[in-house]
Amino acid sequence: MRRAGFVVAAATALTLGAAGTGRAETTATSEVTASWGDRVRLQYTWTDRQTITGGTLTVTDATCDDRTVYATLTVTTGAGRTVPLGDRHNTGGCGTTAEYRDITASDPSGVVRLTLRLCHPAPGGATATCETRYIGANPYRPQALPF
């Protein structure tokens, strides 16, 4: 399966929905490392076919190479659109971690999958090097598989 090649370590847990609704939610956690050594941790909750909530992303500069590191998140909607959720940068330098607690997405046509790319600029301001390190399929949309 292609997905296994993208995920260095991932765990999925089933949790009970808030406010006693009895609705099941699925929380996904992924910790990945780029080939050049920087790291990212992503945790978020699939609440239903249309929504991702409660997302936290941490971006760690582990290479100490005087280059920033950033994560790019996108979702693919049920209508086939790719929607950027934005870049989250760590500009703190060697050994630092930047944390973002603003990862959410919703679309009336549904959210099929969430994709995470880890990037860092090339020396001299050239085009950034990026790797797709995680693709998470919505468990409420089984037609999202295979990739």
Side-chain angles (χ1 to χ4, degrees), residues 32-41 57-60 69-73 88 115-120 128-134:
V32 296
T33 301
S35 63
W36 61 84
D38 291 324
R39 295 187 311 269
V40 66
R41 182 175 191 274
L57 177 75
T58 56
V59 182
T60 302
V69 60
Y70 63 96
T72 299
L73 295 163
R88 307 308 195 284
T115 303
L116 168 68
R117 294 179 55 171
L118 200 57
C119 303
H120 71 150
T129 300
C130 297
E131 296 177 358
T132 300
R133 300 302 296 174
Y134 175 79

Side-chain angles (χ1 to χ4, degrees), residues 60-124:
T60 302
D61 182 340
T63 56
C64 301
D65 59 4
D66 293 325
R67 294 192 241 169
T68 61
V69 60
Y70 63 96
T72 299
L73 295 163
T74 59
V75 294
T76 303
T77 68
R81 292 187 327 269
T82 299
V83 179
L85 300 182
D87 298 339
R88 307 308 195 284
H89 292 261
N90 177 348
T91 58
C94 180
T96 63
T97 298
E99 183 174 274
Y100 298 89
R101 295 181 174 265
D102 60 347
I103 311 303
T104 61
S106 185
D107 191 88
S109 68
V111 176
V112 176
R113 67 181 138 266
L114 173 71
T115 303
L116 168 68
R117 294 179 55 171
L118 200 57
C119 303
H120 71 150

